[in-house]
């Protein structure tokens, strides 16, 4: 037993020794982004290698705020991402529940269509979607246009369908025998059991909405409705590029994602692991 414990100890040491350089390589660009956000524009392109933060972050942020009203853009991005994530998780959960637990005509066709939509790049549908939302429904420059069109998520539907398919059928049959209604089974039994999967899906959807650049750029033309990635894009002009402001904005954009992942990482890992086991 002692030799086995010693062997496990050295295996852990070897694993950490191998993973630590990879972690440093992954974290180094993030650290340099933070360092650049604290430097003036001329310092970013200095030939000297600087690894220590400077003192220019407040000035860069003030320039960023003056040029783009970045705090408002951050508020819009956070609001859109949170509402989109909550609605999309709930809608994809309902669709996944129906596809996993109910038998109806055309069910396999629906699943095949959903699988097929995953292969379609967003560039294929962006122009018809823009024409429908902006010209037909006249919803350009509105919160509805930012949140509603991307709500359907094929990956989320299949993700939740897999999660519900793995749950024991006897549990739901017993609830029906007790007289529990279908919507109560879904809300009070199925969703709590799928919490790890929903947490993992929430991180994926929140990240997708947070990083979405093309659709908010197309559907909004008013400065007061810009999301944070679009606001950062406006700093790249024909004659001037505010690199310090861009780096400061990039740091502020990265922070919420790290907070969300750290808060939900246990559920995220559990949800990904559960989705990989049949």
């Amino acid at each position: 037993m002692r030799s086995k414990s010693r062997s496990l100890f050295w295996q852990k040491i070897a694993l950490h020794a191998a993973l630590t350089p990879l972690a440093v390589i992954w974290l180094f660009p993030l650290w340099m982004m933070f360092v650049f956000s604290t430097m003036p524009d001329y310092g970013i392109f200095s030939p000297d290698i600087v690894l220590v933060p400077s003192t220019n972050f407040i000035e860069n942020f003030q320039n960023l705020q003056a040029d783009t009203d970045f705090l408002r853009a951050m508020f819009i991005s956070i609001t859109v991402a949170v509402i989109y994530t909550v609605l999309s998780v709930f809608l994809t959960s309902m669709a996944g529940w129906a596809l996993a637990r109910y038998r109806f005509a055309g069910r396999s066709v629906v699943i095949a269509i959903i699988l097929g939509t995953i292969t379609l790049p967003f560039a294929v549908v962006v122009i018809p979607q823009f024409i429908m939302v902006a010209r037909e429904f006249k919803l350009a420059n509105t919160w509805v246009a930012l949140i509603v069109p991307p709500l359907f998520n094929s990956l989320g539907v299949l993700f939740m369908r897999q999660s519900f398919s793995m749950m024991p059928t006897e549990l739901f049959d017993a609830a029906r025998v007790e007289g529990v209604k279908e919507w109560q089974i879904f809300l009070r039994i199925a969703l709590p059991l799928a919490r790890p999967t929903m947490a993992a899906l929430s991180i994926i959807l929140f990240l997708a909405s947070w990083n979405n650049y093309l659709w908010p750029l197309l559907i909004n033309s008013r400065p007061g409705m810009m999301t944070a990635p679009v606001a950062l894009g406006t700093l790249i002009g024909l004659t001037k590029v505010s690199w310090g402001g861009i780096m400061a904005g990039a740091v502020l954009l990265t922070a919420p994602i790290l907070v969300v992942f750290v808060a939900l990482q246990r559920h995220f890992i559990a949800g990904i692991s559960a989705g990989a086991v049949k």
Side-chain angles (χ1 to χ4, degrees):
M1 290 295 294
R2 183 174 300 177
S3 61
K4 185 176 181 181
S5 300
R6 186 176 301 175
S7 176
L8 291 175
F9 172 78
W10 286 111
Q11 287 179 7
K12 291 181 180 180
I13 293 296
L15 180 63
H16 283 79
L19 294 180
T20 299
L22 296 178
V24 172
I25 292 174
W26 184 85
L27 291 173
F28 185 73
L30 296 178
W31 173 251
M32 291 307 302
M33 178 181 66
F34 174 70
V35 171
F36 288 154
S37 70
T38 64
M39 299 171 61
D41 287 349
Y42 65 85
I44 294 177
F45 295 99
S46 172
D48 300 328
I49 299 177
V50 180
L51 300 178
V52 180
S54 185
T55 59
N56 230 59
F57 183 85
I58 300 299
E59 183 179 346
N60 289 334
F61 174 75
Q62 290 174 344
N63 295 333
L64 172 67
Q65 178 65 17
D67 292 337
T68 64
D69 194 5
F70 194 72
L71 290 180
R72 178 180 175 84
M74 285 279 290
F75 171 76
I76 293 175
S77 286
I78 292 174
T79 305
V80 169
V82 170
I83 296 176
Y84 165 78
T85 301
V86 172
L87 292 179
S88 187
V89 168
F90 187 68
L91 292 176
T92 54
S93 297
M94 290 194 296
W97 173 258
L99 293 174
R101 291 299 172 180
Y102 297 132
R103 299 292 182 266
F104 53 88
R107 174 173 170 269
S108 58
V109 176
V110 173
I111 296 175
I113 293 175
I114 293 175
L115 281 171
T117 58
I118 295 180
T119 64
L120 293 177
F122 181 65
V124 173
V125 299
V126 64
I127 294 178
Q129 182 172 291
F130 173 79
I131 293 174
M132 179 178 65
V133 174
R135 189 174 68 183
E136 303 298 333
F137 295 155
K138 303 188 184 304
L139 292 175
N141 299 307
T142 64
W143 291 90
V144 176
L146 286 173
I147 297 172
V148 174
L151 275 182
F152 176 77
N153 187 278
S154 303
L155 178 63
V157 173
L158 297 175
F159 208 54
M160 295 307 300
R161 173 181 174 269
Q162 176 68 12
S163 177
F164 291 134
S165 298
M166 295 166 55
M167 296 179 184
T169 305
E170 295 79 7
L171 179 64
F172 306 119
D173 292 337
R176 294 186 182 97
V177 171
E178 294 294 330
V180 182
K181 297 180 180 179
E182 289 295 323
W183 65 270
Q184 292 176 325
I185 294 176
F186 173 67
L187 292 178
R188 299 181 180 180
I189 300 177
L191 287 186
L193 290 176
R195 189 177 301 169
T197 306
M198 294 172 63
L201 181 60
S202 297
I203 294 177
I204 295 172
L205 295 180
F206 186 91
L207 182 62
S209 177
W210 186 256
N211 291 333
N212 194 3
Y213 176 79
L214 180 58
W215 178 248
L217 176 67
L218 291 176
I219 202 61
N220 291 321
S221 58
R222 293 189 310 178
M225 285 299 297
M226 287 191 304
T227 58
V230 177
L232 277 186
T234 62
L235 295 178
I236 302 177
L238 295 177
T239 59
K240 178 185 177 182
V241 180
S242 179
W243 293 111
I246 291 176
M247 291 295 101
V251 169
L252 295 176
L253 278 177
T254 305
I257 294 299
L258 294 179
V259 171
V260 170
F261 182 78
V262 170
L264 298 177
Q265 63 174 334
R266 179 169 59 88
H267 298 292
F268 178 76
I269 296 173
I272 294 296
S273 301
V277 179
K278 178 68 176 176

